[in-house]
Structures are given as structure tokens and as C-alpha cells.
């Protein structure tokens, strides 16, 4: 299939649909053919529903022919990280414990996308229950980075990022608890947005760490990410943490917000551990903003730099141990056939169903919440979390957005960090504070290493000011062509 179609931003695809130069059926066929040709090597998908997608595409074509198209997403395929519910499709969380589970209902984001005419066409690989940074913790095997098949795509939404980067789907939804959208977007050379906590409903997102989890978007361009965000954002009575906010038309706002902006650069995010090639690419991006009239201010986030990872691994594991208690072998999911009684069913089903990293976190989280340790670990972590949020909000008193690298290194080799959980945890050092503070953050391509691997620029915004965050990112994107470069996988 012509690259011009599979790598085309959605804005272009929907123009082709509107002018009848292609049909939605042809579009789905194009992405399906691409996926059939390359996914044996990339392994981004856990499962696909081609027949269902074609039926929805035919319905979309009929709407368009009748002059009833529902807008720019009508007839466009969207991939779903395998942690977001789509009625009648598998929902595995890349775990053996849910290997045969079919979702009986739609997540709120799914219902909204269906109402917009978008086509949920496949389930994308991830680290089991979104715990990881490389997609190697999947019960179904790892996904490869389309830029270099010997490297990881990042994680935990690695399948989603790889599928968009490789031209297998124009859009994807992921989830970000500590960096799981931004880090894989950076590793795969695409745009990934984690919205403000509360902007997008979590109803129908299998919970990992509920106070940190947020559904977000992957696409080739900032405009496409804006379009997809506009379709999924908004209050939902099914999610008690969903915020009552006015939802602007993010895409229409883009050209209206021109800057110049006051941009903060956190000093601590450029220290030891940052790969010099990444540092140089991000400095060049900062220089671009300065050149175009933005005020660049050095700022300091000492608490986030020093404590965010530790605080995150206390809070996230505590919440995970509680959330994952529901997988007991009784209500749904895998049930051990070797069990003698009820207690044995719980123990054996969980022992057989969960992978190593998930077990490690359940054990740590249970310990953190146990009486005697709760105050010393969990409560203390919550207090430091509040301080970290305060630190960000203070910096935002005189900055519109912050700029930093998304990751300390480019994509690492498959297997390189899988034996060392602590080394793996460090790959989220620049992204995790954003989740603790509940802020929106975006990664967009800002160059390549000498070895040809994508580099990500992180832009961090003020709570619920996604429209500004997206405009800041787009100003850079419009002046560069990194997003037009795609991996060669023939
Ligand atoms: N890599 C982090 C973790 O392993 C973040 C994961 C995520 O954002 N879901 O927990």
C-alpha cells in the first residue's frame, strides 16, 4: 500500500474520505494489508477484528453517501491498547489471567469514539497491566521497535506507539500512569499525549494505579492528537474523578494560540544520566523556541528529580495491589484447574495467571499498605506527592509550559534491562513527576540519534490547559519535519 496513505495524518485521510477519493472500507483494507505484511515482525497487535472493522467502515461509507458523516473521525480506524474495553472484543491487559476475557461493555472513550464514527479495529500489546517501560512484560511476547527491530518500542503502551509509527493504524489510544504514553511515543518517533488527570474518563480502563492512570492519545501529528483528544475528553458520571471542565475544540484552537510563551526548562532534567545526543537535540528545540520570541527560563524541580520515582513506586504498587485483588479466579479470568478449595483457587489462579513483574508489585504494594508500614511508606509517599505537585504549580506561576527530554536515552535493546527492574524504572525519570502532579504532558519528535533512533521532546502543561500545551508543541512541529519521517519496513 502506498506510504502516502498509511502515513497520512488523519486530517488528510478525512479529506480523502469527504471528497470520495477513497472509501472507509478501502482505508481499513489498506491498514489491514499493511498490518498483515509487517506485524509478524513488529508484533504490535494482540488481536484484530478485521471483519468487524470492515462492517463499521461500510456503515460509515453509507453515512457519508447519505450526507450524514459525523465529522473528521468518521470512518477512521483507531487501535486500542489492550487495557481499554471495547464491547465484544478481547480485553487481556497482556496477561495470562485475562487471556480469554471478552469485554461485555464499552469504555466511555470507546462509546464516544464509536459515536464519532471511528472504528476500533485492534487490540494493542502492552506490558502486563501497564507495568513496565518496554512491552517486554507481556504474556504474549514483546513488541519490536519499528525503527530497529532489535530494540524495544518503550512501554507500557509499546504496541500502540509501534502500530502508529509503523503505519498499521493512524491513531491509537493508550494509558499513562508514569510515562507509558510519552516514553513509547518518544522511542517510536510519534506524538503522544497524557492529558490532565480527570480530563478523560477512566471508566472501562482496567485499573493499575487509579490516582495516576489516565487514557491518552497517539498519532503522527499534534493536530491529530488534538482531534482525538477532543473526541474522548469530558465529564463522565461513571468516573467519580472525572472533572467538570469546559472542553474546547482543541483542533480549532491550535491556530488561534500563537505565543510567544514563557517556557520553563527544569535544570535537574539535564543532569547525569541524560544521553548527550538527547540533551543536544532537546537544547536545539529550546533554542528554536527562544529564536521565535519565547521567554526561556531556567527553573528548578528538586523534589521531583530526587523523589518522584521512589514516591511513584510506593503509591503505584499500593494501588495496584488493591486493584488487582479482583483477579481471584472466581469472578472472571483464569481459574486454576489444580485447586482443592476456595483459598487454593485464589492462590493458584493468581500464581499461574500473573507474570513476574506484576507479582513483584503486588508483593511490594501489599507490604507498603500493611499495618506498621502504612505510615512509614504509603502515608509518607502521599505527603511527598503533595509537595511535588506544589513544586510544579509554583513553577507554573510564571511559565506557560515546561520543556524537557522525554527519556534519558533512546530505545534500548530488547533484553537489555529486563533483568534489572531498577534500571528499567529509571527510564521514566522525566515523565513520572507529571503523573504524580496530575498534569498534562506530551512527547513529540525532535530529532534522531546518530544511530537513527527517534528522540522525544517533552512539553508539560498546566492543569486542564491542553489547548495551550498542544499549541506550544505544534509551533515546533510546524517548523520541523521529523514527524514526516517513517521507519522503513518493507
Ligand atoms: N514504566 C512505569 C511503570 O512501570 C509506568 C507505567 C505506566 O505509565 N503505565 O510503572
Amino acid at each position: 500500500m502506498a506510504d502516502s496513505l498509511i502515513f497520512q495524518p488523519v486530517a488528510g485521510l478525512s479529506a480523502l474520505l469527504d471528497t470520495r477519493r477513497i472509501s472507509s472500507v478501502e482505508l481499513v483494507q489498506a491498514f489491514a494489508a499493511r498490518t498483515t505484511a509487517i506485524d509478524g515482525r513488529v508484533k504490535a497487535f494482540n488481536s484484530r477484528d478485521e471483519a468487524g472493522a470492515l462492517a463499521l467502515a461500510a456503515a460509515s461509507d453509507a453515512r457519508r453517501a447519505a450526507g450524514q458523516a459525523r465529522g473528521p473521525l468518521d470512518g477512521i480506524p483507531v487501535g486500542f491498547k489492550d487495557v481499554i474495553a471495547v464491547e465484544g472484543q478481547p480485553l487481556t491487559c497482556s496477561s495470562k489471567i485475562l487471556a480469554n476475557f471478552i469485554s461485555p461493555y464499552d469504555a466511555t472513550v470507546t462509546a464516544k469514539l464509536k459515536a464519532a464514527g471511528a472504528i476500533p479495529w485492534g487490540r494493542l500489546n502492552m506490558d502486563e497491566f501497564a507495568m513496565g517501560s518496554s512491552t517486554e512484560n507481556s504474556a504474549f511476547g514483546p513488541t519490536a521497535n519499528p525503527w530497529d527491530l532489535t530494540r524495544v518500542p518503550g512501554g507500557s503502551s509499546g504496541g500502540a506507539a509501534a502500530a502508529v509509527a509503523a503505519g498499521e493504524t493512524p491513531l491509537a489510544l493508550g494509558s499513562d500512569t508514569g510515562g507509558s504514553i510519552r516514553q513509547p511515543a518518544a522511542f517510536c518517533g510519534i506524538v503522544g499525549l497524557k492529558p490532565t488527570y480527570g480530563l478523560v474518563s477512566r471508566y472501562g480502563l482496567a485499573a493499575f494505579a487509579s490516582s495516576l492512570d489516565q487514557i491518552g492519545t497517539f498519532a503522527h501529528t499534534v493536530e491529530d492528537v488534538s482531534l482525538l483528544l477532543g473526541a474522548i475528553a469530558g465529564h463522565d458520571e461513571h468516573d467519580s474523578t472525572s472533572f467538570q471542565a469546559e472542553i474546547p475544540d482543541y483542533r480549532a484552537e491550535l491556530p488561534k494560540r500563537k505565543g510567544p510563551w514563557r517556557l520553563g526548562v527544569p535544570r535537574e532534567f539535564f543532569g547525569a544520566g541524560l544521553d548527550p545526543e538527547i540533551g543536544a537535540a532537546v537544547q536545539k528545540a529550546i533554542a528554536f523556541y527562544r529564536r521565535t520570541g519565547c521567554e526561556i527560563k531556567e527553573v528548578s524541580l528538586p523534589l521531583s528529580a530526587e523523589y518522584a520515582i521512589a514516591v511513584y513506586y510506593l503509591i503505584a504498587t499500593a494501588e495496584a495491589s488493591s486493584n488487582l485483588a479482583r483477579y481471584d479466579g472466581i469472578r472472571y479470568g483464569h481459574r486454576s484447574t489444580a485447586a482443592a478449595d476456595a483459598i487454593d483457587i485464589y492462590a493458584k489462579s493468581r500464581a499461574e495467571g500473573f507474570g513476574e513483574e506484576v507479582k513483584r508489585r503486588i508483593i511490594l504494594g501489599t507490604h507498603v499498605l500493611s499495618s506498621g508500614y502504612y505510615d512509614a511508606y504509603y502515608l509518607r509517599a502521599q505527603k511527598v506527592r503533595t509537595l511535588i505537585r506544589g513544586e510544579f504549580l509554583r513553577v507554573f506561576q510564571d511559565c506557560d509550559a515546561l520543556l524537557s527530554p522525554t527519556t534519558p536515552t533512546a530505545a534500548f535493546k530488547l533484553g537489555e534491562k529486563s533483568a534489572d527492574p531498577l534500571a528499567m524504572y529509571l527510564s521514566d525519570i522525566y515523565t513520572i513527576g507529571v503523573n504524580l502532579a496530575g498534569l498534562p504532558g506530551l512527547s513529540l519528535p525532535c530529532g534522531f540519534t546518530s544511530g537513527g533512533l527517534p528522540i522525544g521532546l517533552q512539553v508539560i502543561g498546566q492543569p486542564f490547559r491542553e489547548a495551550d500545551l498542544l499549541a506550544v508543541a505544534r509551533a515546533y512541529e510546524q517548523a520541523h519535519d521529523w514527524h514526516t519521517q517513517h521507519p522503513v519496513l518493507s
Side-chain angles (χ1 to χ4, degrees):
M1 178 44 60
D3 279 8
S4 58
L5 196 55
I6 55 173
F7 290 118
Q8 176 103 231
V10 171
L13 293 178
S14 60
L16 291 174
L17 289 169
D18 279 341
T19 52
R20 310 293 156 77
R21 269 174 292 168
I22 52 166
S23 66
S24 175
V25 166
E26 285 164 341
L27 195 60
V28 169
Q29 282 167 341
F31 284 105
R34 169 71 171 176
T35 304
T36 304
I38 64 165
D39 208 55
R41 284 173 287 154
V42 179
K43 302 197 187 80
F45 283 84
N46 283 346
S47 61
R48 313 199 279 281
D49 180 12
E50 212 174 305
L54 285 169
L56 291 174
S60 167
D61 287 335
R63 276 195 298 276
R64 199 165 253 112
Q68 288 165 356
R70 295 173 184 168
L73 290 176
D74 201 340
I76 304 287
V78 182
F80 280 63
K81 183 178 183 181
D82 207 350
V83 69
I84 300 169
V86 176
E87 186 184 343
Q89 292 191 6
L91 176 60
T92 72
C93 299
S94 286
S95 179
K96 265 204 276 188
I97 213 155
L98 287 173
N100 300 314
F101 184 72
I102 304 289
S103 175
Y105 71 103
D106 277 334
T108 297
V109 292
T110 310
K112 285 185 178 234
L113 285 179
K114 284 182 175 171
I119 300 176
W121 93 280
R123 313 289 308 161
L124 295 160
N125 199 12
M126 53 185 280
D127 287 294
E128 185 178 0
F129 286 105
M131 298 178 190
S133 303
S134 66
T135 315
E136 293 169 294
N137 297 335
S138 164
F140 309 127
T143 296
N145 189 311
W147 292 90
D148 175 347
L149 297 172
T150 68
R151 291 178 186 270
V152 304
S156 63
S157 315
V164 172
E168 297 173 280
T169 182
L171 298 171
L173 291 184
S175 65
D176 189 315
T177 306
S180 278
I181 289 177
R182 291 158 286 157
Q183 186 255 26
F187 279 12
C188 292
I190 60 167
V191 185
L193 169 72
K194 175 235 173 258
T196 308
Y197 185 81
L199 182 67
V200 176
S201 168
R202 289 180 297 110
Y203 179 72
L205 169 71
F208 158 20
S210 313
S211 76
L212 299 158
D213 298 341
Q214 191 57 193
I215 292 175
T217 54
F218 290 101
H220 291 291
T221 64
V222 173
E223 184 180 17
D224 283 3
V225 155
S226 311
L227 189 62
L228 191 52
L229 177 68
I232 61 172
H235 180 69
D236 178 14
E237 61 182 20
H238 293 307
D239 174 358
S240 61
T241 61
S242 136
F243 195 70
Q244 302 256 18
E246 187 71 27
I247 305 300
D249 180 338
Y250 295 109
R251 186 203 201 180
E253 286 298 312
L254 282 174
K256 297 187 200 153
R257 300 181 188 229
K258 288 197 167 49
W261 297 281
R262 299 163 306 162
L263 302 174
V265 176
R267 175 185 318 139
E268 292 82 2
F269 289 20
F270 291 81
L274 176 63
D275 180 299
E277 283 192 301
I278 310 259
V282 172
Q283 290 297 353
K284 265 184 131 169
I286 294 168
F288 160 81
Y289 283 108
R290 185 180 286 118
R291 241 185 4 259
T292 52
C294 295
E295 187 185 340
I296 305 292
K297 300 166 180 262
E298 187 179 87
V299 299
S300 184
L301 294 167
L303 291 175
S304 187
E306 182 145 3
Y307 299 112
I309 296 243
V311 166
Y312 171 87
Y313 278 97
L314 295 172
I315 294 174
T317 56
E319 293 183 11
S321 74
S322 162
N323 277 325
L324 272 58
R326 73 191 66 176
Y327 304 104
D328 57 7
I330 304 283
R331 284 170 290 187
Y332 41 74
H334 171 75
R335 179 181 300 176
S336 173
T337 50
D341 54 36
I343 298 295
D344 210 27
I345 290 183
Y346 302 154
K348 290 218 169 75
S349 302
R350 289 166 69 82
E352 292 165 11
F354 287 135
E356 219 177 280
E357 180 65 19
V358 173
K359 285 178 186 159
R360 184 161 33 239
R361 295 196 189 194
I362 291 173
I363 292 168
L364 179 59
T366 307
H367 177 71
V368 162
L369 289 178
S370 60
S371 82
Y373 291 99
Y374 183 93
D375 289 2
Y377 292 124
Y378 185 70
L379 207 58
R380 180 70 57 93
Q382 291 289 22
K383 288 180 180 167
V384 181
R385 178 180 187 173
T386 303
L387 295 175
I388 288 174
R389 179 170 163 85
E391 176 177 89
F392 271 103
L393 295 182
R394 255 193 316 284
V395 161
F396 275 127
Q397 280 171 3
D398 38 33
C399 293
D400 300 305
L402 308 179
L403 303 174
S404 82
T406 308
T407 58
T409 67
F412 45 88
K413 290 265 184 195
L414 284 156
E416 187 179 325
K417 300 194 183 187
S418 41
D420 183 354
L422 291 181
M424 190 75 89
Y425 294 175
L426 282 177
S427 53
D428 294 316
I429 181 119
Y430 307 135
T431 51
I432 257 176
V434 171
N435 299 74
L436 290 169
L439 304 171
L442 174 148
S443 180
L444 79 162
C446 73
F448 290 89
T449 65
S450 49
L453 298 171
I455 298 175
L457 169 69
Q458 180 174 227
V459 189
I460 303 170
Q462 298 195 10
F464 299 107
R465 284 187 47 192
E466 272 75 1
D468 293 311
L469 167 66
L470 290 159
V472 171
R474 192 164 94 131
Y476 176 86
E477 185 185 77
Q478 284 194 312
H480 298 81
D481 66 358
W482 311 115
H483 62 286
T484 64
Q485 303 186 35
H486 307 293
V488 179
L489 274 157
S490 41

